[in-house]
Amino acid sequence: MGRAGKALKKVLEIHGISQNGLAVVMGIRAANVNRWVNEVRDPGGETILEIRDGLYSINPAAAEDFIRLYLTAPAEDK
Protein backbone atom coordinates (compact mmCIF):
# COMPACT_ATOMS: atom_id res chain seq x y z
CA MET A 1 0.00 0.00 0.00
CA GLY A 2 1.08 3.57 -0.52
CA ARG A 3 2.53 4.11 -4.01
CA ALA A 4 -0.09 6.69 -4.90
CA GLY A 5 0.14 8.27 -1.46
CA LYS A 6 3.91 8.62 -1.65
CA ALA A 7 3.70 10.13 -5.12
CA LEU A 8 0.91 12.49 -4.08
CA LYS A 9 2.71 13.62 -0.92
CA LYS A 10 5.85 14.43 -2.88
CA VAL A 11 3.94 16.31 -5.59
CA LEU A 12 1.98 18.38 -3.06
CA GLU A 13 5.24 19.33 -1.32
CA ILE A 14 7.17 20.12 -4.51
CA HIS A 15 4.42 22.24 -6.01
CA GLY A 16 3.22 23.87 -2.79
CA ILE A 17 -0.32 22.52 -3.08
CA SER A 18 -2.28 22.00 0.11
CA GLN A 19 -4.28 18.87 0.80
CA ASN A 20 -7.32 21.08 1.30
CA GLY A 21 -6.73 22.84 -2.01
CA LEU A 22 -6.69 19.54 -3.87
CA ALA A 23 -9.78 18.35 -1.98
CA VAL A 24 -11.68 21.50 -2.93
CA VAL A 25 -11.01 21.16 -6.65
CA MET A 26 -11.86 17.44 -6.50
CA GLY A 27 -15.08 18.12 -4.60
CA ILE A 28 -14.18 15.80 -1.73
CA ARG A 29 -13.33 16.12 1.96
CA ALA A 30 -9.76 17.00 2.90
CA ALA A 31 -9.73 13.94 5.18
CA ASN A 32 -9.77 11.73 2.08
CA VAL A 33 -6.65 13.40 0.67
CA ASN A 34 -5.03 13.13 4.10
CA ARG A 35 -5.69 9.38 4.19
CA TRP A 36 -3.99 8.95 0.81
CA VAL A 37 -0.99 11.12 1.70
CA ASN A 38 -0.49 9.31 5.00
CA GLU A 39 -0.94 5.92 3.32
CA VAL A 40 -3.93 4.96 5.47
CA ARG A 41 -5.93 4.22 2.34
CA ASP A 42 -4.95 3.76 -1.29
CA PRO A 43 -7.05 5.47 -3.95
CA GLY A 44 -8.57 3.18 -6.57
CA GLY A 45 -7.78 3.30 -10.26
CA GLU A 46 -10.49 5.78 -11.20
CA THR A 47 -9.54 7.95 -8.24
CA ILE A 48 -5.94 8.09 -9.49
CA LEU A 49 -7.31 9.72 -12.64
CA GLU A 50 -9.46 12.09 -10.58
CA ILE A 51 -6.39 13.08 -8.55
CA ARG A 52 -4.52 13.71 -11.80
CA ASP A 53 -7.38 15.85 -13.10
CA GLY A 54 -7.60 17.79 -9.84
CA LEU A 55 -3.88 18.45 -9.84
CA TYR A 56 -4.04 19.45 -13.51
CA SER A 57 -6.64 22.11 -12.74
CA ILE A 58 -4.28 23.57 -10.12
CA ASN A 59 -0.97 23.06 -11.92
CA PRO A 60 -0.52 20.90 -15.05
CA ALA A 61 3.10 20.16 -14.13
CA ALA A 62 1.96 18.72 -10.80
CA ALA A 63 -0.38 16.33 -12.59
CA GLU A 64 2.43 15.16 -14.87
CA ASP A 65 4.78 14.70 -11.92
CA PHE A 66 2.14 12.70 -10.01
CA ILE A 67 1.60 10.24 -12.84
CA ARG A 68 5.34 9.96 -13.52
CA LEU A 69 6.13 9.28 -9.85
CA TYR A 70 3.23 6.85 -9.51
CA LEU A 71 4.21 4.85 -12.58
CA THR A 72 7.93 4.81 -11.83
CA ALA A 73 7.74 3.77 -8.18
CA PRO A 74 10.85 1.97 -6.91
CA ALA A 75 10.79 -1.83 -7.14
CA GLU A 76 10.27 -2.26 -3.38
CA ASP A 77 7.00 -0.33 -3.63
CA LYS A 78 5.57 -2.47 -6.42
Side-chain angles (χ1 to χ4, degrees):
M1 188 185 307
R3 275 178 42 198
K6 288 176 185 173
L8 181 57
K9 182 176 186 174
K10 189 168 206 165
V11 166
L12 294 178
E13 289 173 357
I14 290 169
H15 293 278
I17 300 169
S18 71
Q19 292 179 23
N20 188 60
L22 178 58
V24 168
V25 300
M26 291 181 68
I28 61 172
R29 292 180 24 220
N32 291 329
V33 177
N34 185 269
R35 286 184 195 105
W36 301 329
V37 168
N38 291 303
E39 302 176 48
V40 172
R41 183 173 290 262
D42 266 344
E46 287 188 28
T47 306
I48 296 291
L49 298 177
E50 292 170 4
I51 292 169
R52 179 207 57 198
D53 294 346
L55 289 169
Y56 188 86
S57 72
I58 297 169
N59 181 340
E64 291 175 18
D65 287 347
F66 172 69
I67 294 300
R68 180 182 49 77
L69 288 169
Y70 177 70
L71 293 176
T72 60
E76 66 268 10
D77 289 345
K78 293 182 180 178

